[in-house]
């Protein structure tokens, strides 16, 4: 979902500054609620480091290729959310994207605010869907696979929606813009299918080995209803 440089430019980039600032504000709120307020600073820092490394690896090491208006990447947003929580995942997505751009793709930096909005707002949607649809008495390890796939679909659908929004906002509703969005969406569907299979496999491993998971690394609700 690295939207290609030039898709949004000039004065239109001003909107991305606003959306990215809003996403940053929501992330800081989540960090305060789950880390600072509960005096879990070191634990939170560990989760943020791990999610940052995961995101950096997803973007730079795993297969990725340009298609239409954006690059196609594996992200695993819903799985990171279930494993590490919304605050650490949001932080990791932002910092991982920034590091990947600074170190390996400096041409993407002008689009950082566009791309960070595209990554974070679908994550926040996953958080609210999980809050509304998953009982507070249910540990994440006890989720049904269809519940996990619903969260994955929420995240990936959000990615496609935001890519489409930025494309049409930046280029207008032209045939070329429409074709580029369709091309990206079709290509990204392959990533969605693979991620869904891997998400199911990860949840299956958590269900089987949850007693052996390091408690300080993963979100408390992964293995129990403790929050």
């Amino acid at each position: 979902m690295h939207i290609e440089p030039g898709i949004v430019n000039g004065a239109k980039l001003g909107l991305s500054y606003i959306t990215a600032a809003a996403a940053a504000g929501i992330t800081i709120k989540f960090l305060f609620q789950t880390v600072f307020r509960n005096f879990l600073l070191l634990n939170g820092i560990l989760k943020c480091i791990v999610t940052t490394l995961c995101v950096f690896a997803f973007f730079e090491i795993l297969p990725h290729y340009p298609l239409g208006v954006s690059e196609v990447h594996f992200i695993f947003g819903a799985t990171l959310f279930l494993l590490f929580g919304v605050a650490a995942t949001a932080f990791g997505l932002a910092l991982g994207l920034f590091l990947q751009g600074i170190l390996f793709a400096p041409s993407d930096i002008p689009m950082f605010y566009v791309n960070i909005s595209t990554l974070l707002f679908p994550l926040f949607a996953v958080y609210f869907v999980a809050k509304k649809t998953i009982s507070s008495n249910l540990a994440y390890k006890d989720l049904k696979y269809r519940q996990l796939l619903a969260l994955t679909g929420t995240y990936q659908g959000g990615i496609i929606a935001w890519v489409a929004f930025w494309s049409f906002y930046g280029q207008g509703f032209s045939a070329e813009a429409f074709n580029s969005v369709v091309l990206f969406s079709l290509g990204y569907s392959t990533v969605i299918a693979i991620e869904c299979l891997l998400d199911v496999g990860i949840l299956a491993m958590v269900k089987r080995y949850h007693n052996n998971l390091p408690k300080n690394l993963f979100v408390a609700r992964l293995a129990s209803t403790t929050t």
Side-chain angles (χ1 to χ4, degrees):
M1 41 43 57
H2 280 74
I3 296 175
E4 294 295 326
I7 297 298
V8 182
N9 53 38
K12 289 187 175 182
L13 280 172
L15 179 61
S16 71
Y17 303 151
I18 296 172
T19 57
I26 296 171
T27 299
I28 291 170
K29 176 184 176 181
F30 281 132
L31 284 169
F32 177 80
Q33 289 177 337
T34 61
V35 177
F36 303 115
R37 189 176 65 181
N38 296 322
F39 301 101
L40 298 173
L41 184 58
L42 293 179
N43 184 268
I45 291 173
L46 175 62
K47 289 184 175 67
C48 288
I49 291 173
V50 173
T51 54
T52 299
L53 292 175
C54 287
V55 170
F56 182 83
F58 297 159
F59 286 164
E60 189 58 34
I61 298 175
L62 293 184
H64 54 278
Y65 51 92
L67 190 63
V69 295
S70 178
E71 286 190 5
V72 173
H73 285 270
F74 291 96
I75 309 174
F76 299 104
T79 293
L80 289 175
F81 163 76
L82 293 176
L83 293 177
F84 302 104
V86 64
T89 299
F91 183 91
L93 285 169
L95 185 56
L97 176 67
F98 180 74
L99 291 176
Q100 188 267 344
I102 286 291
L103 297 176
F104 294 100
S107 62
D108 288 338
I109 293 301
M111 301 297 290
F112 176 76
Y113 299 106
V114 170
N115 291 327
I116 206 61
S117 302
T118 304
L119 283 174
L120 291 188
F121 282 105
L123 174 68
F124 302 147
V126 169
Y127 168 80
F128 286 111
V129 168
K131 189 174 182 180
K132 293 293 185 181
T133 61
I134 300 175
S135 170
S136 60
N137 297 320
L138 186 71
Y140 290 150
K141 70 176 178 62
D142 296 321
L143 288 176
K144 292 179 170 46
Y145 292 112
R146 61 177 173 80
Q147 291 176 294
L148 171 64
L149 293 176
L151 296 180
T152 299
T154 297
Y155 189 78
Q156 305 295 5
I159 293 290
I160 291 175
W162 274 89
V163 167
F165 167 76
W166 289 119
S167 177
F168 293 132
Y169 171 71
Q171 297 181 306
F173 290 90
S174 64
E176 181 181 357
F178 180 80
N179 290 336
S180 294
V181 170
V182 170
L183 181 62
F184 168 79
S185 301
L186 291 174
Y188 195 58
S189 63
T190 303
V191 170
I192 294 175
I194 295 173
E195 280 203 21
C196 284
L197 291 174
L198 293 174
D199 286 346
V200 167
I202 291 171
L203 179 58
M205 293 180 64
V206 169
K207 287 177 178 292
R208 182 169 183 177
Y209 299 109
H210 63 90
N211 289 327
N212 300 320
L213 296 176
K215 298 186 184 302
N216 291 330
L217 180 58
F218 299 103
V219 68
R221 195 175 169 186
L222 181 63
S224 72
T225 54
T226 301
T227 57

